[in-house]
Amino acid sequence: MTTARTRLVSVVVVTYDTRDETLVALRSVAGGFTTTGHELVVVDNGTDGTADAVRAELPGVVVEPGANVGFAAAVNLAVAHASGDGVLLLNPDTQVLPGALQRLVDFADAHPAHGLYGGRTLRPDGTTDPSSCWGEPSLWSLACFALGLTTAFRRSRLLDPESLGRWERDTVREVPVVTGCLLFAPRPVWDALGGLDETYFLYGEDAELSVRARRRGLRPVVVPDATIVHAVGGSTASSGRKLCMVLAGKTTLLRSTWHPVAARAGVAMLATGVLLRARLETRRGRDGHWALVWERRADWLPGYPHARGALFGEPDRPAPDPAAPGHTAGAAA
């Protein structure tokens, strides 16, 4: 693994019909660095004019695939157009606090054995948003979900283990999963891992990347001094639909990284937990999102690539070739 100082960071932002939020995020990036150079690489999966708005205001590379290719494929496409010796994924619904990205890169340069680096995310009201990292799913964590314990004892280290307990993400800590809302990797590490798995359309791809990294001896870590504000879910309006997407990613993760017998058990426990919550909503006379998730179980239970068409109306197709005609990428005015 590289120990050289990072000279240029490629900040990758994938957007889908979040023009205003994306511009806010991109404007904040420059203040996140103090000494290290950076470039912006934006992939616009949507149709709301984000690409044109970015080109008109900010320097960088803007890529338009011509369709919604999903998050993983868009990130890989962005990296193919990037020239930095570091790759930093940033959500379009975030705002970078001054110096935050510099501190993340400096930590990575000083501690190269970790390979993947995340930060601390705050909600707009200043409270901790725990979604910058998670625990890895296990048979125990899924059994707790199936029995409703993760809801009854939210953020319990024992009964909601994927939450990582009540840790406020305010100390340096190695973690099982660094999420893609803020994730840095030196380019040699990124290339050695092969980027994101494009089987995933949305959600789960960052967890799978972290699993691969740890299996290669890397130790993903959270750096609390690298702090951003995260609005959470800028491209997903319906909580029920979002849960379907998250579960599709999780079932795909289990099938791709677990032994088949364990994966079948894990998927069954996910379904059991959804059914339990849907039944509880019905008994309490609530019209909640778990009922919708249960109704749409045939869409998410098989995971990807099936879920791509079922949940997004997008046919499964090969990811775009960055060198193929029809892709527009270039420096902004």
Side-chain angles (χ1 to χ4, degrees), residues 96-271:
V96 178
L97 297 186
L101 305 183
Q102 186 66 56
R103 290 188 285 271
L104 185 62
V105 173
D106 287 347
F107 183 95
D109 286 346
H111 304 87
H114 293 289
L116 298 182
Y117 304 83
R120 187 180 188 214
T121 54
L122 302 177
R123 300 185 182 96
D125 64 4
T127 59
T128 300
D129 164 27
S131 67
S132 66
C133 58
W134 296 110
E136 186 180 355
S138 65
L139 287 174
W140 171 247
S141 74
L142 296 177
C144 290
F145 177 79
L147 296 171
L149 300 176
T150 57
T151 299
F153 300 95
R154 193 176 301 277
R155 298 196 71 180
S156 161
R157 290 182 63 185
L158 177 63
L159 301 176
D160 185 16
E162 291 180 39
S163 72
L164 301 178
R166 298 193 177 277
W167 170 50
E168 289 291 305
R169 280 56 171 168
D170 53 356
T171 56
V172 174
R173 183 181 294 190
E174 293 179 13
V175 295
V177 175
V178 173
T179 60
C181 70
L182 176 63
L183 185 153
F184 175 75
R187 184 65 182 261
V189 172
W190 182 272
D191 290 344
L193 291 173
L196 296 180
D197 183 346
E198 296 180 10
T199 303
Y200 296 79
F201 192 75
L202 184 64
Y203 297 114
E205 63 287 301
D206 45 11
E208 192 277 337
L209 179 70
S210 294
V211 170
R212 259 188 294 139
R214 288 189 291 107
R215 288 179 177 177
R216 293 192 178 201
L218 300 174
R219 309 194 314 271
V221 67
V222 159
V223 182
D225 289 340
T227 305
I228 63 173
V229 177
H230 187 203
V232 186
S235 298
T236 308
S238 164
S239 59
R241 184 166 177 262
K242 178 178 177 179
L243 268 173
C244 289
M245 300 174 193
V246 171
L247 288 166
K250 190 163 261 189
T251 60
T252 307
L253 178 69
L254 299 183
R255 291 189 176 100
S256 65
T257 62
W258 286 18
H259 186 279
V261 174
R264 284 195 293 272
V267 171
M269 286 189 280
L270 279 175

